[in-house]
Amino acid sequence: MTSQLRRVAVFCGSSPGHDPAHSEAAYRLGRDLAERGIGLVYGGGGHGLMERVSQGALDGGGEVIGVIPTRMMAKEWGRQDLTELHVVDDMHVRKAMMAEFSDAFIALPGGLGTLEEIIEMWSWRSIEFNDDPVGFLNWGGFWTPLLEALEALTETGFVRREVFDDLVVAETLDEALVGLEARRGATFSDKARAPLR
């Protein structure tokens, strides 16, 4: 499929996790992005799923932009063989720069860092700090427990239904790209933005 997205930011684990299928899928995703002409923006890491998705994109001849804090680079957590590597002062600058470079965000399996990053991007979109769409690649139901918890927040009135429904949840890259492109440039109505009572 042809995509209108120039670059996608991918958040994922700096460890491989226990299921080898996640590493294999991350590599394929990176390669598939490259073959579609979509640049990869990621956290610049050289381990775990971060290494696999970036290697897949590089092997596919794609653009790979890494953004990593100085402290992580000093611990040799990053990789130097990317199209561009930006070493920044802290995590806040890292996320802001990744957002600046990207047209959309996708979360692959990961831990606390992945969760924090994708939720912040979703929060930014919900308050129109950034209008780039957000999605979860829910391989094997990995994100289902989190999505059920977010659904519960919606049911209790702390997350607006239209904000929850704005999330893209997909099992394949093609499904994710279709959903992300459909939401590009879309904003919530003023009514949807009204404070909850």
Side-chain angles (χ1 to χ4, degrees):
M1 68 175 281
T2 302
S3 175
Q4 297 177 15
L5 298 170
R6 294 177 307 115
R7 295 176 181 145
V8 171
V10 173
F11 299 123
C12 59
S14 58
S15 65
H18 296 311
D19 187 347
H22 289 152
S23 291
E24 295 166 11
Y27 179 87
R28 284 198 312 272
L29 183 133
R31 188 153 191 141
D32 286 349
L33 284 173
E35 290 173 354
R36 288 164 171 76
I38 302 172
L40 169 69
V41 179
Y42 87 116
H47 303 281
L49 299 193
M50 294 177 77
E51 186 276 333
R52 296 315 296 150
V53 71
S54 58
Q55 192 61 52
L58 289 170
D59 288 349
E63 177 189 46
V64 182
I65 299 175
V67 186
I68 190 168
T70 303
R71 185 174 178 182
M72 292 181 174
M73 203 65 189
K75 293 183 177 184
E76 299 183 351
W77 291 354
R79 58 185 302 175
Q80 303 273 7
D81 57 343
L82 308 176
T83 310
E84 295 178 26
L85 178 66
H86 300 268
V87 182
V88 298
D89 290 339
D90 57 43
M91 298 292 282
H92 302 292
V93 176
R94 180 196 214 182
K95 285 179 287 190
M97 185 174 286
M98 290 178 72
E100 180 182 339
F101 287 144
S102 305
D103 298 321
F105 306 95
I106 293 176
L108 308 188
L112 293 178
T114 302
L115 183 58
E116 182 265 336
E117 288 163 335
I118 198 68
I119 292 294
E120 183 160 358
M121 293 304 109
W122 185 36
S123 174
W124 286 6
R125 178 169 167 81
S126 75
I127 58 174
E128 296 183 354
F129 188 82
N130 188 329
D131 62 1
D132 295 333
V134 173
F136 288 84
L137 268 173
N138 195 29
W139 296 329
F142 180 87
W143 291 114
T144 298
L146 172 66
L147 295 166
E148 289 174 347
L150 294 172
E151 175 80 22
L153 291 178
T154 301
E155 291 171 355
T156 57
F158 287 101
V159 174
R160 294 184 181 88
R161 170 56 60 182
E162 57 271 16
V163 172
F164 179 77
D165 289 344
D166 185 63
L167 281 178
V168 174
V169 180
E171 294 186 5
T172 68
L173 177 59
D174 280 344
E175 291 173 359
L177 293 177
V178 167
L180 293 169
E181 288 174 349
R183 289 160 174 79
R184 275 194 77 204
T187 58
F188 302 110
S189 67
D190 290 338
K191 182 177 180 182
R193 298 293 182 184
L196 291 170
R197 302 292 182 190

